[in-house]
Amino acid sequence: MSPLLYEVLHIFGILLAFISLGGVTLRAMSGQRENGPGDRLAVITHGVALLVILVSGFGLIAKLGYGFPGWIWAKIVIWLLIGGLITLIRRMPQHATVFWFTIPLLGGFAAYLALYKPF
Ligand code: HEM
């Protein structure tokens, strides 16, 4: 598989993850009950997204021969945070507005790390 296809998959996974987190955040903000049809769809999509991001991320590492510099480890930590956030949003709906703004910042930082490779 070509590196470009891995990049497209990586971005597709990222889009799935962030639409899911946005959906769950709005659901939490509006006080709707957990585990309704939209909430469940978002949680399942989020799980699939994490898998797609990780597999395509490791595919890119292999194809582009990066090994494991600091910026990759930092992205793995961001991936873990993105994974844990869905539970955090569900447990702390009162902080939904904070999540609404910090989650995209986290994604932006992951993009910065991939493009600038600062360490
Ligand atoms: C939610 C977490 C993540 C986000 C938001 C994210 C975001 C991005 C973005 C926006 C790009 C740039 C795509 C492009 O080249 O145009 C990228 C590239 C990349 N990401 Fe991620 N990523 C995440 C997790 C990961 C993980 C977990 C890994 C490794 C296991 C990883 C490895 C890579 C690699 C190797 C590249 C290619 C960099 C290059 O083209 O030189 N990413 N990522």
Side-chain angles (χ1 to χ4, degrees):
M1 212 154 77
S2 89
L4 279 180
L5 194 53
Y6 278 114
E7 300 236 6
V8 172
L9 273 179
H10 202 57
I11 291 168
F12 179 62
I14 293 160
L15 294 171
L16 286 179
F18 283 79
I19 200 173
S20 308
L21 290 173
V24 171
T25 305
L26 269 190
R27 198 268 311 138
M29 208 182 269
S30 63
Q32 282 173 31
R33 69 184 173 87
E34 278 186 22
N35 297 321
D39 192 52
R40 261 213 309 274
L41 178 65
V43 172
I44 292 166
T45 306
H46 180 256
V48 173
L50 286 175
L51 192 66
V52 173
I53 293 170
L54 194 68
V55 170
S56 56
F58 278 109
L60 281 168
I61 293 173
K63 289 279 174 184
L64 302 174
Y66 283 135
F68 287 89
W71 63 272
I72 295 271
W73 287 109
K75 292 193 72 177
I76 292 172
V77 170
I78 292 177
W79 179 83
L80 288 170
L81 291 173
I82 295 288
L85 269 165
I86 198 146
T87 306
L88 217 59
I89 299 165
R90 289 156 72 87
R91 294 285 165 275
M92 307 170 81
Q94 72 275 22
H95 297 308
T97 315
V98 178
F99 294 127
W100 183 260
F101 290 107
T102 49
I103 291 170
L105 279 177
L106 214 51
F109 185 54
Y112 163 79
L113 289 171
L115 298 174
Y116 284 85
K117 307 177 180 54
F119 44 83

